[in-house]
């Protein structure tokens, strides 16, 4: 479109199958026309803004926080419209236990238990600014989390482990102990990718979940 090679940087990477509601991308040079971008993209991807930013801006390295939402359809009946966008959970769900687990996440913790053992990460501490579960529509419950950065599979393992607590297979106390650098084998399963959504990227210290 710009008739020259363009290297695009995005605010956050996601696993295959994860959705993105509010991805941010950057490139050098003039902004690409919004209408032209959307004309070339498939129907399930839409650019909502394209604008000029200061020289040197980098969508990834200038990002100070990232937010995700994991959606769970908690009911016996199979999903309809939510299929492919929420994990179907037909088991008992202790919402109070989920709330307690989420509250434990806020702050600085060692999330070694929530990323694969075979990893490129060298730093396992992450600063979590907000984490909570809230009811959505038609049986959906949503887990929202915002942190400085995330490790591979981190949110999906967090959700899979919290659901083990909500099902009564793991205690809240045991969940809290996982945040002290426990090995991956001590945590629960990795929740499927299709329930996770990249919800936004913050810049300049902006806190996203306060505005959602």
């Amino acid at each position: 479109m710009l008739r020259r090679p363009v290297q695009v940087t995005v605010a956050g990477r996601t696993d295959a199958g994860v959705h993105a509601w509010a991805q941010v991308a950057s490139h050098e040079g003039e902004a690409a026309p919004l209408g032209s971008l959307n004309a070339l993209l498939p129907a399930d991807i839409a650019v909502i803004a394209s604008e000029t930013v200061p020289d040197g801006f980098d969508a990834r390295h200038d990002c100070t926080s990232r937010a995700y939402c994991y959606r769970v359809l908690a009911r016996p009946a199979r999903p309809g419209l939510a299929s492919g966008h929420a994990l179907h959970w037909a088991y008992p769900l202790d919402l109070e236990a989920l709330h307690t687990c989420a509250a434990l996440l806020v702050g600085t913790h060692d999330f070694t238990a929530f990323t694969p053992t075979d990893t490129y990460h060298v730093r396992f501490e992450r600063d979590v600014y907000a984490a909570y579960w809230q009811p959505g529509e038609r049986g959906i419950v949503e887990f929202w989390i915002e942190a400085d950065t995330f490790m591979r599979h981190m949110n999906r393992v967090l959700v899979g482990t919290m659901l083990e607590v909500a099902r009564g297979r793991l205690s809240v106390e045991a969940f809290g102990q996982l945040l002290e650098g426990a090995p991956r084998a001590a945590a629960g399963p990795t929740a499927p990718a299709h329930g996770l959504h990249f919800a936004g990227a913050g810049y300049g210290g902006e806190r996203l979940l306060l505005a959602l």
Side-chain angles (χ1 to χ4, degrees):
M1 185 186 309
L2 297 178
R3 303 188 183 281
R4 59 176 175 81
V6 175
Q7 182 174 347
V8 175
T9 301
V10 297
R13 292 171 293 179
T14 60
D15 302 326
V18 174
H19 307 286
W21 289 333
Q23 184 62 275
V24 178
S26 63
H27 61 85
E28 293 185 353
E30 70 276 21
L34 178 64
S36 300
L37 283 170
N38 284 321
L40 294 176
L41 289 169
D44 60 346
I45 302 176
V47 178
I48 60 174
S50 180
E51 57 192 41
T52 301
V53 293
D55 290 342
F57 174 81
D58 186 286
R60 179 184 178 191
H61 292 108
D62 290 341
C63 184
T64 53
S65 73
R66 295 158 179 84
Y68 284 84
C69 173
Y70 197 100
R71 305 175 76 233
V72 177
L73 178 63
R75 71 183 188 194
R78 67 184 184 186
L81 294 177
S83 179
H85 293 270
L87 169 64
H88 179 215
W89 187 259
Y91 307 104
L93 196 68
D94 185 341
L95 285 174
E96 280 302 314
L98 290 179
H99 292 318
T100 303
C101 287
L104 292 174
L105 296 175
V106 178
T108 302
H109 303 286
D110 185 330
F111 288 92
T112 301
F114 301 97
T115 194
T117 302
D118 183 12
T119 180
Y120 57 84
H121 295 295
V122 295
R123 180 179 72 89
F124 295 90
E125 284 192 347
R126 293 296 187 270
D127 298 326
V128 176
Y129 304 130
Y132 52 84
W133 287 84
Q134 69 177 21
E137 298 179 347
R138 298 181 176 88
I140 295 285
V141 289
E142 299 175 340
F143 171 61
W144 289 87
I145 184 169
E146 180 179 3
D148 56 345
T149 59
F150 291 90
M151 294 184 292
R152 181 168 170 256
H153 293 181
M154 177 175 159
N155 286 325
R156 293 167 57 196
V157 181
L158 281 171
V159 170
T161 306
M162 284 188 282
L163 289 176
E164 290 290 281
V165 176
R167 196 177 176 182
R169 291 185 168 183
L170 187 71
S171 70
V172 171
E173 292 74 21
F175 178 83
Q177 292 169 2
L178 295 175
L179 301 172
E180 299 173 2
R184 172 64 186 91
T190 305
H194 67 268
L196 186 60
H197 302 71
F198 183 80
Y203 295 89
E206 173 189 13
R207 292 292 179 264
L208 296 162
L209 294 190
L210 297 178
L212 291 175

